[in-house]
Amino acid sequence: MRRYLFFGVHADPPPWLRRLAAALPFVLLLALYLGASQLRLAENPDDKILPSLAQMADAVQRLAFRPDPRSEEYVMLKDTTSSLARLALGVGLSAATGLLLGLNMGLFPGMGAVLLAIVTFVSIVPPLAILPILFISLGVDELAKVALIFLGIFPLITRDIYNTVAALPREQITKALSLGANELQLAYRIVLPQVMPRLIETVRLSLGAAWLFLIAAEAIASTDGLGYRIFLVRRYLAMDVIIPYVLWITLLGYLIDWLLRLALRRLYPWYQA
Amino acid sequence: MNTTEQLSALRQKNLLHIENVYKQYGARVVLDNIDLSVARGELCTVVGPSGCGKSTLLRIVVGQEAPSSGDAFIEGAPAGYPDATRGIVYQKYSLFPHLTVLDNVLLGKVLESSIFGRVRARREHRDEAMQMLERARIAEHWKKYPHELSGGMQQRVAIAQALIKKPRIVLMDEPFGALDPMVREDMQVLLLELWEEYGMTVFFVTHDLEEAVYLGTRVIVLSQYYIDDRGAAAEQRGAKIVADHALPRRAFSTSVKSSPEFIELAAEIRRAGFDPTGARHVTQFNLSHPDSFQTLTAAESRALRAQEGP
């Protein structure tokens, strides 16, 4: 039988080809950018829209590896730690709240009756639309930014955990009771460990939204943070800062996702998603 | 002849007692006046055509569902919600996917302790759990997770898991229904061995007639195929116990399945419960088991109506 390397439904690309194929779009994109940048800079050396690699490296050097002359801080490091702290706090609170609410709503019909409608309602409110309310009522400090991330993603996590718990076979619950479990044990020793891997999956999916809310909040009212910096230098058309920052955020997001995936595999070997 | 005193004596004496139980979902009647009393030590199998409500009956005994009317009793007390008096083995979902084989078996013991005593409970009962796994011939897989085991192996673990709590009665819902014929026979022999060794009381639901006759010391046939005197008014009728046989305990060897008596009994049960054309009148059921009783209503039996008379 003829083997197809690349084309058609029967294709079975060998590993080297798969890697090459995956790299191709990145290489093309980079080449396209560099070519366009070169053309523009040849026309006008002061052009700011498509900075060269050297200009970007220069900007990164200035922001990441040299302390700011006024505050004596490393600007990119400070931006990164501030943003990650907000993100971690917002996502962590959402995960904990979503887990507890979803678990109890899914397991105890009374809790479900009280909370399901309100959680669904809150999850439909567009978080960015209430950002002004948050800034007005909570001030422009950290609290409002964390609150935006929290309000943006906790309802989704709650609903996902609720669905997971509600979909557990009834037999499992009966079985646990028949082994002498009381209701607390049922919730926290039988059901909770079973939804933990699902929680990690949901958090992974929610991180994209969490970054969106973080950057939006930082863009509007902040004194540091990755999103703040990007929107600050936008005024000077400083693409040499914006592009490295965007790549850095993407890299951070990818790393967090990879860590969560690793944790899922290590901590829950029984879970096959 | 079921006087109130006799019934109450039966209720007190026997481990499981069900009286006048009806179950309906909306307009559909599933169980229609079920009367059943099971003594300690019995291996009672319940067999019937698919959709006759066997599993519904089991869920009522478990406490997972409440009867629409009537009562179930365990040792004379109302059965109530699921608890440690009744062990359960399902066809699937018996094992907890997040626990290893050993931890699945230990769970019943670990749940007896507080959060802080958990580690100690695991240590203390480890040997006991390993012994149970040894008895179920699955001990070498103690480290694995359920998804790494075949169906038959999972059911061995599920039986060990239920037995470690020493429940008064073990309820089994088609536990071997999804297994290959060879594995299934192995499991049947294993169940008989464990039943004898631990003196268990077992309530075993199956759709497999051979299995029911081979395993049971008592076979109960639940079926929607019967005749009564309710007439057209009772078009929506549910299943009843149409036969109830006491069986001699034979050798464990599966070769009895080809003996003439075995085949004759299986054929008799097939006629009584599985064949719509063989339907018998409610007063004609073969309820020969000594613990069997029947509380017919006057509507169901004309003879009873005549007896009560004006």
PDB file of all heavy atoms in Angstrom, chain A residues 169-172 174-175 177-179 181 185 189-190 193-194 270 272, chain B residues 62 64 83-84 86 88 90 93-94 97-98 110-111 118 147 161 165:
ATOM      1  N   PRO A 169     -22.433   9.490  38.358  1.00  0.00           N
ATOM      2  CA  PRO A 169     -23.503   8.493  38.426  1.00  0.00           C
ATOM      3  C   PRO A 169     -24.084   8.425  39.847  1.00  0.00           C
ATOM      4  O   PRO A 169     -23.358   8.427  40.829  1.00  0.00           O
ATOM      5  CB  PRO A 169     -22.796   7.179  38.081  1.00  0.00           C
ATOM      6  CG  PRO A 169     -21.433   7.515  37.634  1.00  0.00           C
ATOM      7  CD  PRO A 169     -21.138   8.919  37.986  1.00  0.00           C
ATOM      8  N   ARG A 170     -25.409   8.363  39.903  1.00  0.00           N
ATOM      9  CA  ARG A 170     -26.113   8.260  41.180  1.00  0.00           C
ATOM     10  C   ARG A 170     -25.603   7.048  41.983  1.00  0.00           C
ATOM     11  O   ARG A 170     -25.548   7.056  43.203  1.00  0.00           O
ATOM     12  CB  ARG A 170     -27.601   8.099  40.861  1.00  0.00           C
ATOM     13  CG  ARG A 170     -28.530   8.180  42.021  1.00  0.00           C
ATOM     14  CD  ARG A 170     -28.746   9.604  42.494  1.00  0.00           C
ATOM     15  NE  ARG A 170     -28.993   9.588  43.912  1.00  0.00           N
ATOM     16  CZ  ARG A 170     -28.866  10.652  44.702  1.00  0.00           C
ATOM     17  NH1 ARG A 170     -28.508  11.806  44.213  1.00  0.00           N
ATOM     18  NH2 ARG A 170     -29.117  10.554  45.988  1.00  0.00           N
ATOM     19  N   GLU A 171     -25.219   6.004  41.249  1.00  0.00           N
ATOM     20  CA  GLU A 171     -24.756   4.780  41.891  1.00  0.00           C
ATOM     21  C   GLU A 171     -23.545   5.043  42.783  1.00  0.00           C
ATOM     22  O   GLU A 171     -23.391   4.415  43.832  1.00  0.00           O
ATOM     23  CB  GLU A 171     -24.363   3.734  40.837  1.00  0.00           C
ATOM     24  CG  GLU A 171     -25.535   3.049  40.182  1.00  0.00           C
ATOM     25  CD  GLU A 171     -26.041   3.803  38.963  1.00  0.00           C
ATOM     26  OE1 GLU A 171     -25.622   4.966  38.766  1.00  0.00           O
ATOM     27  OE2 GLU A 171     -26.839   3.237  38.209  1.00  0.00           O
ATOM     28  N   GLN A 172     -22.673   5.952  42.351  1.00  0.00           N
ATOM     29  CA  GLN A 172     -21.478   6.231  43.138  1.00  0.00           C
ATOM     30  C   GLN A 172     -21.833   6.806  44.490  1.00  0.00           C
ATOM     31  O   GLN A 172     -21.211   6.481  45.495  1.00  0.00           O
ATOM     32  CB  GLN A 172     -20.620   7.255  42.388  1.00  0.00           C
ATOM     33  CG  GLN A 172     -19.743   6.621  41.373  1.00  0.00           C
ATOM     34  CD  GLN A 172     -18.347   7.212  41.414  1.00  0.00           C
ATOM     35  OE1 GLN A 172     -18.071   8.137  42.176  1.00  0.00           O
ATOM     36  NE2 GLN A 172     -17.499   6.652  40.613  1.00  0.00           N
ATOM     37  N   THR A 174     -24.741   6.477  46.088  1.00  0.00           N
ATOM     38  CA  THR A 174     -25.363   5.411  46.882  1.00  0.00           C
ATOM     39  C   THR A 174     -24.303   4.461  47.418  1.00  0.00           C
ATOM     40  O   THR A 174     -24.335   4.046  48.579  1.00  0.00           O
ATOM     41  CB  THR A 174     -26.353   4.621  46.011  1.00  0.00           C
ATOM     42  OG1 THR A 174     -27.238   5.540  45.386  1.00  0.00           O
ATOM     43  CG2 THR A 174     -27.141   3.651  46.847  1.00  0.00           C
ATOM     44  N   LYS A 175     -23.346   4.131  46.554  1.00  0.00           N
ATOM     45  CA  LYS A 175     -22.276   3.217  46.950  1.00  0.00           C
ATOM     46  C   LYS A 175     -21.489   3.770  48.140  1.00  0.00           C
ATOM     47  O   LYS A 175     -21.221   3.059  49.114  1.00  0.00           O
ATOM     48  CB  LYS A 175     -21.348   3.008  45.750  1.00  0.00           C
ATOM     49  CG  LYS A 175     -20.153   2.158  45.998  1.00  0.00           C
ATOM     50  CD  LYS A 175     -20.484   0.706  45.922  1.00  0.00           C
ATOM     51  CE  LYS A 175     -19.512  -0.100  46.746  1.00  0.00           C
ATOM     52  NZ  LYS A 175     -19.631  -1.522  46.521  1.00  0.00           N
ATOM     53  N   LEU A 177     -22.470   5.913  50.358  1.00  0.00           N
ATOM     54  CA  LEU A 177     -23.312   5.876  51.561  1.00  0.00           C
ATOM     55  C   LEU A 177     -23.350   4.457  52.126  1.00  0.00           C
ATOM     56  O   LEU A 177     -23.330   4.248  53.342  1.00  0.00           O
ATOM     57  CB  LEU A 177     -24.728   6.361  51.236  1.00  0.00           C
ATOM     58  CG  LEU A 177     -24.841   7.829  50.831  1.00  0.00           C
ATOM     59  CD1 LEU A 177     -26.259   8.149  50.386  1.00  0.00           C
ATOM     60  CD2 LEU A 177     -24.440   8.737  51.976  1.00  0.00           C
ATOM     61  N   SER A 178     -23.390   3.472  51.226  1.00  0.00           N
ATOM     62  CA  SER A 178     -23.466   2.085  51.678  1.00  0.00           C
ATOM     63  C   SER A 178     -22.148   1.634  52.301  1.00  0.00           C
ATOM     64  O   SER A 178     -22.091   0.606  52.966  1.00  0.00           O
ATOM     65  CB  SER A 178     -23.835   1.155  50.519  1.00  0.00           C
ATOM     66  OG  SER A 178     -22.689   0.799  49.780  1.00  0.00           O
ATOM     67  N   LEU A 179     -21.075   2.384  52.074  1.00  0.00           N
ATOM     68  CA  LEU A 179     -19.811   2.079  52.741  1.00  0.00           C
ATOM     69  C   LEU A 179     -19.676   2.907  54.018  1.00  0.00           C
ATOM     70  O   LEU A 179     -18.607   2.973  54.604  1.00  0.00           O
ATOM     71  CB  LEU A 179     -18.632   2.350  51.809  1.00  0.00           C
ATOM     72  CG  LEU A 179     -18.501   1.377  50.629  1.00  0.00           C
ATOM     73  CD1 LEU A 179     -17.422   1.821  49.664  1.00  0.00           C
ATOM     74  CD2 LEU A 179     -18.212  -0.032  51.119  1.00  0.00           C
ATOM     75  N   ALA A 181     -20.335   6.300  54.472  1.00  0.00           N
ATOM     76  CA  ALA A 181     -19.985   7.720  54.395  1.00  0.00           C
ATOM     77  C   ALA A 181     -21.141   8.572  54.918  1.00  0.00           C
ATOM     78  O   ALA A 181     -22.297   8.275  54.655  1.00  0.00           O
ATOM     79  CB  ALA A 181     -19.673   8.106  52.949  1.00  0.00           C
ATOM     80  N   GLN A 185     -18.472  13.563  54.461  1.00  0.00           N
ATOM     81  CA  GLN A 185     -17.460  12.697  53.848  1.00  0.00           C
ATOM     82  C   GLN A 185     -17.754  12.495  52.373  1.00  0.00           C
ATOM     83  O   GLN A 185     -16.851  12.486  51.544  1.00  0.00           O
ATOM     84  CB  GLN A 185     -17.425  11.336  54.548  1.00  0.00           C
ATOM     85  CG  GLN A 185     -16.846  11.402  55.947  1.00  0.00           C
ATOM     86  CD  GLN A 185     -16.954  10.072  56.650  1.00  0.00           C
ATOM     87  OE1 GLN A 185     -17.950   9.368  56.528  1.00  0.00           O
ATOM     88  NE2 GLN A 185     -15.929   9.719  57.404  1.00  0.00           N
ATOM     89  N   ARG A 189     -14.670  13.821  50.640  1.00  0.00           N
ATOM     90  CA  ARG A 189     -13.725  12.716  50.486  1.00  0.00           C
ATOM     91  C   ARG A 189     -14.045  11.836  49.287  1.00  0.00           C
ATOM     92  O   ARG A 189     -13.203  11.070  48.852  1.00  0.00           O
ATOM     93  CB  ARG A 189     -13.703  11.878  51.766  1.00  0.00           C
ATOM     94  CG  ARG A 189     -12.943  12.628  52.856  1.00  0.00           C
ATOM     95  CD  ARG A 189     -13.147  12.054  54.203  1.00  0.00           C
ATOM     96  NE  ARG A 189     -12.272  10.934  54.468  1.00  0.00           N
ATOM     97  CZ  ARG A 189     -12.064  10.429  55.665  1.00  0.00           C
ATOM     98  NH1 ARG A 189     -12.663  10.962  56.716  1.00  0.00           N
ATOM     99  NH2 ARG A 189     -11.273   9.402  55.842  1.00  0.00           N
ATOM    100  N   ILE A 190     -15.255  11.924  48.777  1.00  0.00           N
ATOM    101  CA  ILE A 190     -15.594  11.119  47.595  1.00  0.00           C
ATOM    102  C   ILE A 190     -15.709  12.012  46.355  1.00  0.00           C
ATOM    103  O   ILE A 190     -15.087  11.769  45.342  1.00  0.00           O
ATOM    104  CB  ILE A 190     -16.931  10.364  47.811  1.00  0.00           C
ATOM    105  CG1 ILE A 190     -16.871   9.500  49.063  1.00  0.00           C
ATOM    106  CG2 ILE A 190     -17.283   9.543  46.581  1.00  0.00           C
ATOM    107  CD1 ILE A 190     -15.943   8.311  48.962  1.00  0.00           C
ATOM    108  N   PRO A 193     -12.335  14.972  45.569  1.00  0.00           N
ATOM    109  CA  PRO A 193     -11.148  14.513  44.831  1.00  0.00           C
ATOM    110  C   PRO A 193     -11.446  14.140  43.391  1.00  0.00           C
ATOM    111  O   PRO A 193     -10.561  14.233  42.540  1.00  0.00           O
ATOM    112  CB  PRO A 193     -10.670  13.287  45.621  1.00  0.00           C
ATOM    113  CG  PRO A 193     -11.621  13.053  46.711  1.00  0.00           C
ATOM    114  CD  PRO A 193     -12.619  14.155  46.751  1.00  0.00           C
ATOM    115  N   GLN A 194     -12.677  13.751  43.129  1.00  0.00           N
ATOM    116  CA  GLN A 194     -13.002  13.378  41.747  1.00  0.00           C
ATOM    117  C   GLN A 194     -13.180  14.578  40.835  1.00  0.00           C
ATOM    118  O   GLN A 194     -13.037  14.452  39.612  1.00  0.00           O
ATOM    119  CB  GLN A 194     -14.273  12.524  41.707  1.00  0.00           C
ATOM    120  CG  GLN A 194     -14.055  11.136  42.227  1.00  0.00           C
ATOM    121  CD  GLN A 194     -15.184  10.211  41.831  1.00  0.00           C
ATOM    122  OE1 GLN A 194     -15.441   9.992  40.661  1.00  0.00           O
ATOM    123  NE2 GLN A 194     -15.857   9.661  42.813  1.00  0.00           N
ATOM    124  N   TRP A 270      -5.074   8.881  37.380  1.00  0.00           N
ATOM    125  CA  TRP A 270      -6.265   8.108  37.032  1.00  0.00           C
ATOM    126  C   TRP A 270      -7.191   8.867  36.099  1.00  0.00           C
ATOM    127  O   TRP A 270      -8.147   8.313  35.576  1.00  0.00           O
ATOM    128  CB  TRP A 270      -7.035   7.738  38.302  1.00  0.00           C
ATOM    129  CG  TRP A 270      -7.322   8.931  39.172  1.00  0.00           C
ATOM    130  CD1 TRP A 270      -6.520   9.412  40.166  1.00  0.00           C
ATOM    131  CD2 TRP A 270      -8.437   9.810  39.103  1.00  0.00           C
ATOM    132  NE1 TRP A 270      -7.073  10.548  40.709  1.00  0.00           N
ATOM    133  CE2 TRP A 270      -8.253  10.801  40.086  1.00  0.00           C
ATOM    134  CE3 TRP A 270      -9.579   9.839  38.303  1.00  0.00           C
ATOM    135  CZ2 TRP A 270      -9.168  11.828  40.281  1.00  0.00           C
ATOM    136  CZ3 TRP A 270     -10.493  10.873  38.512  1.00  0.00           C
ATOM    137  CH2 TRP A 270     -10.275  11.847  39.501  1.00  0.00           C
ATOM    138  N   GLN A 272      -8.339  10.475  32.833  1.00  0.00           N
ATOM    139  CA  GLN A 272      -8.063  10.485  31.404  1.00  0.00           C
ATOM    140  C   GLN A 272      -9.042  11.418  30.723  1.00  0.00           C
ATOM    141  O   GLN A 272     -10.202  11.072  30.561  1.00  0.00           O
ATOM    142  CB  GLN A 272      -8.224   9.099  30.797  1.00  0.00           C
ATOM    143  CG  GLN A 272      -7.483   8.036  31.538  1.00  0.00           C
ATOM    144  CD  GLN A 272      -8.320   6.800  31.681  1.00  0.00           C
ATOM    145  OE1 GLN A 272      -9.332   6.818  32.353  1.00  0.00           O
ATOM    146  NE2 GLN A 272      -7.897   5.726  31.074  1.00  0.00           N
TER     147      GLN A 272
ATOM    148  N   VAL B  62     -32.269  -0.891  48.373  1.00  0.00           N
ATOM    149  CA  VAL B  62     -31.085  -0.090  48.689  1.00  0.00           C
ATOM    150  C   VAL B  62     -31.468   1.186  49.442  1.00  0.00           C
ATOM    151  O   VAL B  62     -30.754   1.638  50.332  1.00  0.00           O
ATOM    152  CB  VAL B  62     -30.346   0.296  47.383  1.00  0.00           C
ATOM    153  CG1 VAL B  62     -29.262   1.324  47.650  1.00  0.00           C
ATOM    154  CG2 VAL B  62     -29.733  -0.916  46.733  1.00  0.00           C
ATOM    155  N   GLN B  64     -32.283   3.867  47.516  1.00  0.00           N
ATOM    156  CA  GLN B  64     -32.007   4.904  46.529  1.00  0.00           C
ATOM    157  C   GLN B  64     -33.307   5.498  45.999  1.00  0.00           C
ATOM    158  O   GLN B  64     -33.345   6.639  45.566  1.00  0.00           O
ATOM    159  CB  GLN B  64     -31.187   4.279  45.395  1.00  0.00           C
ATOM    160  CG  GLN B  64     -30.537   5.256  44.460  1.00  0.00           C
ATOM    161  CD  GLN B  64     -29.681   4.536  43.415  1.00  0.00           C
ATOM    162  OE1 GLN B  64     -29.104   3.480  43.681  1.00  0.00           O
ATOM    163  NE2 GLN B  64     -29.595   5.086  42.230  1.00  0.00           N
ATOM    164  N   ASP B  83     -27.380   3.017  53.605  1.00  0.00           N
ATOM    165  CA  ASP B  83     -26.412   3.089  54.701  1.00  0.00           C
ATOM    166  C   ASP B  83     -25.629   1.775  54.780  1.00  0.00           C
ATOM    167  O   ASP B  83     -25.804   0.894  53.942  1.00  0.00           O
ATOM    168  CB  ASP B  83     -27.101   3.393  56.041  1.00  0.00           C
ATOM    169  CG  ASP B  83     -28.113   2.331  56.421  1.00  0.00           C
ATOM    170  OD1 ASP B  83     -27.979   1.186  55.938  1.00  0.00           O
ATOM    171  OD2 ASP B  83     -29.035   2.632  57.194  1.00  0.00           O
ATOM    172  N   ALA B  84     -24.777   1.660  55.789  1.00  0.00           N
ATOM    173  CA  ALA B  84     -23.826   0.548  55.855  1.00  0.00           C
ATOM    174  C   ALA B  84     -24.485  -0.795  56.184  1.00  0.00           C
ATOM    175  O   ALA B  84     -23.795  -1.817  56.218  1.00  0.00           O
ATOM    176  CB  ALA B  84     -22.737   0.863  56.867  1.00  0.00           C
ATOM    177  N   ARG B  86     -26.513  -2.224  54.243  1.00  0.00           N
ATOM    178  CA  ARG B  86     -26.663  -2.880  52.951  1.00  0.00           C
ATOM    179  C   ARG B  86     -25.452  -2.611  52.074  1.00  0.00           C
ATOM    180  O   ARG B  86     -25.162  -1.456  51.767  1.00  0.00           O
ATOM    181  CB  ARG B  86     -27.917  -2.345  52.239  1.00  0.00           C
ATOM    182  CG  ARG B  86     -29.206  -2.858  52.820  1.00  0.00           C
ATOM    183  CD  ARG B  86     -30.327  -1.871  52.603  1.00  0.00           C
ATOM    184  NE  ARG B  86     -30.197  -0.708  53.489  1.00  0.00           N
ATOM    185  CZ  ARG B  86     -30.979   0.355  53.434  1.00  0.00           C
ATOM    186  NH1 ARG B  86     -31.912   0.450  52.537  1.00  0.00           N
ATOM    187  NH2 ARG B  86     -30.801   1.349  54.287  1.00  0.00           N
ATOM    188  N   ILE B  88     -23.498  -2.953  48.400  1.00  0.00           N
ATOM    189  CA  ILE B  88     -24.008  -2.953  47.033  1.00  0.00           C
ATOM    190  C   ILE B  88     -22.890  -3.283  46.049  1.00  0.00           C
ATOM    191  O   ILE B  88     -21.764  -2.819  46.198  1.00  0.00           O
ATOM    192  CB  ILE B  88     -24.559  -1.570  46.633  1.00  0.00           C
ATOM    193  CG1 ILE B  88     -25.507  -1.048  47.700  1.00  0.00           C
ATOM    194  CG2 ILE B  88     -25.279  -1.651  45.312  1.00  0.00           C
ATOM    195  CD1 ILE B  88     -25.877   0.379  47.482  1.00  0.00           C
ATOM    196  N   TYR B  90     -22.794  -2.996  41.903  1.00  0.00           N
ATOM    197  CA  TYR B  90     -23.492  -2.693  40.653  1.00  0.00           C
ATOM    198  C   TYR B  90     -22.777  -3.337  39.479  1.00  0.00           C
ATOM    199  O   TYR B  90     -21.657  -3.818  39.599  1.00  0.00           O
ATOM    200  CB  TYR B  90     -23.510  -1.188  40.413  1.00  0.00           C
ATOM    201  CG  TYR B  90     -24.373  -0.402  41.355  1.00  0.00           C
ATOM    202  CD1 TYR B  90     -23.802   0.404  42.315  1.00  0.00           C
ATOM    203  CD2 TYR B  90     -25.756  -0.455  41.270  1.00  0.00           C
ATOM    204  CE1 TYR B  90     -24.583   1.157  43.186  1.00  0.00           C
ATOM    205  CE2 TYR B  90     -26.541   0.288  42.128  1.00  0.00           C
ATOM    206  CZ  TYR B  90     -25.951   1.094  43.080  1.00  0.00           C
ATOM    207  OH  TYR B  90     -26.728   1.831  43.921  1.00  0.00           O
ATOM    208  N   TYR B  93     -19.788   1.345  37.914  1.00  0.00           N
ATOM    209  CA  TYR B  93     -19.769   2.460  38.862  1.00  0.00           C
ATOM    210  C   TYR B  93     -19.625   2.011  40.306  1.00  0.00           C
ATOM    211  O   TYR B  93     -19.866   2.789  41.224  1.00  0.00           O
ATOM    212  CB  TYR B  93     -21.007   3.345  38.751  1.00  0.00           C
ATOM    213  CG  TYR B  93     -21.287   3.868  37.380  1.00  0.00           C
ATOM    214  CD1 TYR B  93     -22.521   3.690  36.790  1.00  0.00           C
ATOM    215  CD2 TYR B  93     -20.304   4.541  36.667  1.00  0.00           C
ATOM    216  CE1 TYR B  93     -22.785   4.162  35.522  1.00  0.00           C
ATOM    217  CE2 TYR B  93     -20.565   5.020  35.390  1.00  0.00           C
ATOM    218  CZ  TYR B  93     -21.804   4.838  34.834  1.00  0.00           C
ATOM    219  OH  TYR B  93     -22.071   5.314  33.581  1.00  0.00           O
ATOM    220  N   SER B  94     -19.293   0.730  40.561  1.00  0.00           N
ATOM    221  CA  SER B  94     -19.111   0.328  41.950  1.00  0.00           C
ATOM    222  C   SER B  94     -17.813   0.883  42.514  1.00  0.00           C
ATOM    223  O   SER B  94     -17.727   1.184  43.699  1.00  0.00           O
ATOM    224  CB  SER B  94     -19.076  -1.197  42.065  1.00  0.00           C
ATOM    225  OG  SER B  94     -20.351  -1.734  41.896  1.00  0.00           O
ATOM    226  N   PRO B  97     -13.120   5.872  40.740  1.00  0.00           N
ATOM    227  CA  PRO B  97     -12.015   5.935  39.775  1.00  0.00           C
ATOM    228  C   PRO B  97     -10.753   6.575  40.332  1.00  0.00           C
ATOM    229  O   PRO B  97      -9.670   6.320  39.834  1.00  0.00           O
ATOM    230  CB  PRO B  97     -12.585   6.774  38.627  1.00  0.00           C
ATOM    231  CG  PRO B  97     -13.745   7.502  39.211  1.00  0.00           C
ATOM    232  CD  PRO B  97     -14.293   6.629  40.292  1.00  0.00           C
ATOM    233  N   HIS B  98     -10.899   7.416  41.386  1.00  0.00           N
ATOM    234  CA  HIS B  98      -9.717   8.137  41.863  1.00  0.00           C
ATOM    235  C   HIS B  98      -8.948   7.365  42.928  1.00  0.00           C
ATOM    236  O   HIS B  98      -7.964   7.866  43.450  1.00  0.00           O
ATOM    237  CB  HIS B  98     -10.120   9.511  42.404  1.00  0.00           C
ATOM    238  CG  HIS B  98     -10.990   9.446  43.627  1.00  0.00           C
ATOM    239  ND1 HIS B  98     -12.245   8.893  43.623  1.00  0.00           N
ATOM    240  CD2 HIS B  98     -10.766   9.844  44.892  1.00  0.00           C
ATOM    241  CE1 HIS B  98     -12.762   8.987  44.830  1.00  0.00           C
ATOM    242  NE2 HIS B  98     -11.888   9.543  45.622  1.00  0.00           N
ATOM    243  N   VAL B 110     -11.779   3.288  56.133  1.00  0.00           N
ATOM    244  CA  VAL B 110     -11.244   4.637  56.315  1.00  0.00           C
ATOM    245  C   VAL B 110     -12.369   5.619  56.666  1.00  0.00           C
ATOM    246  O   VAL B 110     -12.191   6.529  57.459  1.00  0.00           O
ATOM    247  CB  VAL B 110     -10.496   5.085  55.044  1.00  0.00           C
ATOM    248  CG1 VAL B 110     -10.115   6.549  55.124  1.00  0.00           C
ATOM    249  CG2 VAL B 110      -9.249   4.231  54.850  1.00  0.00           C
ATOM    250  N   LEU B 111     -13.554   5.386  56.086  1.00  0.00           N
ATOM    251  CA  LEU B 111     -14.675   6.298  56.353  1.00  0.00           C
ATOM    252  C   LEU B 111     -15.149   6.209  57.797  1.00  0.00           C
ATOM    253  O   LEU B 111     -15.843   7.098  58.277  1.00  0.00           O
ATOM    254  CB  LEU B 111     -15.841   5.994  55.399  1.00  0.00           C
ATOM    255  CG  LEU B 111     -15.636   6.424  53.954  1.00  0.00           C
ATOM    256  CD1 LEU B 111     -16.755   5.890  53.071  1.00  0.00           C
ATOM    257  CD2 LEU B 111     -15.554   7.929  53.835  1.00  0.00           C
ATOM    258  N   ARG B 118      -7.202   9.016  59.651  1.00  0.00           N
ATOM    259  CA  ARG B 118      -7.245   8.386  58.342  1.00  0.00           C
ATOM    260  C   ARG B 118      -6.005   7.538  58.036  1.00  0.00           C
ATOM    261  O   ARG B 118      -6.100   6.406  57.586  1.00  0.00           O
ATOM    262  CB  ARG B 118      -7.335   9.523  57.337  1.00  0.00           C
ATOM    263  CG  ARG B 118      -7.940   9.217  56.051  1.00  0.00           C
ATOM    264  CD  ARG B 118      -8.300  10.552  55.460  1.00  0.00           C
ATOM    265  NE  ARG B 118      -8.304  10.500  54.020  1.00  0.00           N
ATOM    266  CZ  ARG B 118      -8.493  11.563  53.256  1.00  0.00           C
ATOM    267  NH1 ARG B 118      -8.666  12.745  53.820  1.00  0.00           N
ATOM    268  NH2 ARG B 118      -8.510  11.458  51.960  1.00  0.00           N
ATOM    269  N   HIS B 147      -9.445   1.866  36.125  1.00  0.00           N
ATOM    270  CA  HIS B 147      -9.490   1.884  34.655  1.00  0.00           C
ATOM    271  C   HIS B 147      -8.414   0.979  34.048  1.00  0.00           C
ATOM    272  O   HIS B 147      -8.449   0.704  32.854  1.00  0.00           O
ATOM    273  CB  HIS B 147      -9.362   3.315  34.130  1.00  0.00           C
ATOM    274  CG  HIS B 147      -7.976   3.895  34.202  1.00  0.00           C
ATOM    275  ND1 HIS B 147      -7.558   4.672  35.241  1.00  0.00           N
ATOM    276  CD2 HIS B 147      -6.909   3.778  33.374  1.00  0.00           C
ATOM    277  CE1 HIS B 147      -6.304   5.026  35.050  1.00  0.00           C
ATOM    278  NE2 HIS B 147      -5.872   4.487  33.932  1.00  0.00           N
ATOM    279  N   GLN B 161     -14.695  -4.890  48.132  1.00  0.00           N
ATOM    280  CA  GLN B 161     -14.995  -3.566  48.684  1.00  0.00           C
ATOM    281  C   GLN B 161     -16.281  -3.596  49.513  1.00  0.00           C
ATOM    282  O   GLN B 161     -16.355  -3.016  50.588  1.00  0.00           O
ATOM    283  CB  GLN B 161     -15.132  -2.585  47.518  1.00  0.00           C
ATOM    284  CG  GLN B 161     -15.494  -1.170  47.888  1.00  0.00           C
ATOM    285  CD  GLN B 161     -15.908  -0.384  46.661  1.00  0.00           C
ATOM    286  OE1 GLN B 161     -16.636  -0.893  45.793  1.00  0.00           O
ATOM    287  NE2 GLN B 161     -15.454   0.846  46.561  1.00  0.00           N
ATOM    288  N   LYS B 165     -17.016  -4.311  54.782  1.00  0.00           N
ATOM    289  CA  LYS B 165     -17.887  -3.659  55.777  1.00  0.00           C
ATOM    290  C   LYS B 165     -18.771  -4.661  56.518  1.00  0.00           C
ATOM    291  O   LYS B 165     -19.528  -4.288  57.400  1.00  0.00           O
ATOM    292  CB  LYS B 165     -18.798  -2.648  55.075  1.00  0.00           C
ATOM    293  CG  LYS B 165     -18.152  -1.333  54.723  1.00  0.00           C
ATOM    294  CD  LYS B 165     -17.657  -0.580  55.904  1.00  0.00           C
ATOM    295  CE  LYS B 165     -18.720   0.319  56.530  1.00  0.00           C
ATOM    296  NZ  LYS B 165     -18.145   1.193  57.552  1.00  0.00           N
TER     297      LYS B 165
END
